[in-house]
Amino acid sequence: MADEASRVWAEDMSEAYDEYLVPAVFQPYADDLAARVVRHRPRDVLELAAGTGVLTRALTTSLPEARVTATDLNVAMVDVGSAHVPAATWRQADAMKLPFGDASADIVACQFGVMFFPDRPAAYAEVARVLRSGGHFLFNCWGTLETHDVESAVIAALAEAFPDDPPSFLARVPHGYHDAALVSADVASAGFSDVQIETVELVCTGKSAAELARGYCRGTPLRGEIEARGDLDATTRAVVQALESRFGADLVVGRMSALVVSATVASPAARR
């Protein structure tokens, strides 16, 4: 389960994340997940762990008539996201205790957020509570670290920089929930049926190695792990050099893989 430190993002982290990582890493999967949501033609969409709004924008663009409510635990993310995607209603909210009524949404969507939930079955039960009968839960989570070329290279560079105590955030949290059987069991335990899991391979495309290095070192909880071990600027330069060595200094292209999950909530009678 995720630790509390990995769930809290400072304001400047949110800005670096949005500028350097969202276009390269998160936009492709946001487009994929939004297209899956659209197929259900929902009226009320609730998004969890919305971050700075990459999926939110795709949802509001694709579903102009729907009511989209975007939430995130971190106020810094909500502040950035609400400025970027004002078409949605934004609220600070913890997925472990959602401030919404029973049966208030047709779909709950979550883009790479479930890995941060400290008790995923409990969070999924909250999702089931706020969904209407027959409503759908759609989310994605990263595959193993080895299936993400850029993040594997980042972690290898950090292991070289700190051989005695390498930062572990990427492997421990974002890539720590990749067992499809476990994911399916967790979702089913919360009252969902028809759990479907698909492995989706897409391409990370970064403008430069330097931008991606800044995104990971300054725009994720890796920052706190780096600062606890050494100098952030020097470490960022080391990661830039490692990425340039592998991918070149300019356009960076690498494979990445995620599980895309969909499930249907049972009727209230069936859940009793």
Side-chain angles (χ1 to χ4, degrees):
M1 297 300 182
D3 57 85
E4 280 301 312
S6 70
R7 302 183 77 208
V8 180
W9 296 43
E11 183 175 359
D12 54 350
M13 288 171 59
S14 302
E15 293 170 351
Y17 163 90
D18 187 70
E19 182 175 358
Y20 301 126
L21 297 185
V22 163
V25 179
F26 295 98
Q27 186 70 60
Y29 281 103
D31 293 340
D32 173 82
L33 196 60
R36 296 168 189 266
V37 171
V38 167
R39 293 170 196 160
H40 296 287
R41 300 188 178 186
R43 295 169 298 159
D44 294 289
V45 180
L46 173 61
E47 183 185 357
L48 308 182
T52 58
V54 60
L55 175 60
T56 320
R57 180 183 292 108
L59 291 171
T60 57
T61 300
S62 302
L63 295 165
E65 303 302 319
R67 292 178 289 270
V68 177
T69 301
T71 69
D72 199 278
L73 175 67
N74 294 284
V75 174
M77 289 292 196
V78 173
D79 289 343
V80 175
S82 59
H84 287 181
V85 194
T89 298
W90 285 81
R91 288 189 63 175
Q92 188 276 337
D94 189 338
M96 302 303 303
K97 191 175 182 180
L98 293 172
F100 303 103
D102 296 354
S104 56
D106 301 310
I107 280 185
V108 174
C110 185
Q111 162 98 325
F112 296 121
V114 300
M115 304 89 72
F116 294 86
F117 298 165
D119 185 339
R120 284 180 282 266
Y124 298 159
E126 271 289 271
V127 171
R129 179 185 65 78
V130 302
L131 278 170
R132 296 180 178 122
S133 179
H136 303 282
F137 183 27
L138 288 87
F139 67 91
N140 50 24
C141 49
W142 291 115
T144 61
L145 180 63
E146 293 74 20
T147 65
H148 199 302
D149 289 339
V150 172
E151 294 186 0
S152 294
V154 170
I155 285 298
L158 292 174
E160 185 172 341
F162 304 104
D164 295 331
D165 185 20
S168 61
F169 165 73
L170 288 179
R172 189 181 73 255
V173 183
H175 294 277
Y177 191 52
H178 53 73
D179 184 332
L182 173 61
V183 174
S184 180
D186 285 348
V187 174
S189 72
F192 288 92
S193 62
D194 191 26
V195 181
Q196 300 181 27
I197 301 179
E198 178 183 351
T199 298
V200 176
E201 296 180 354
L202 295 174
V203 176
C204 167
T205 307
K207 290 182 180 179
S208 70
E211 287 200 359
L212 286 171
R214 285 195 291 270
Y216 282 108
C217 293
R218 298 172 180 273
T220 75
L222 274 176
R223 176 172 179 167
E225 293 188 335
I226 292 170
E227 290 177 326
R229 291 163 173 80
D231 182 77
L232 179 62
D233 289 338
T235 304
T236 302
R237 289 195 294 271
V239 174
V240 171
Q241 292 174 358
L243 293 181
E244 288 182 348
S245 176
R246 177 166 178 180
F247 299 101
D250 298 320
L251 188 69
V252 173
V253 177
R255 66 190 177 107
M256 53 185 182
S257 175
L259 303 181
V260 179
V261 184
S262 66
T264 304
V265 73
S267 66
R271 279 182 269 168
R272 286 198 291 268

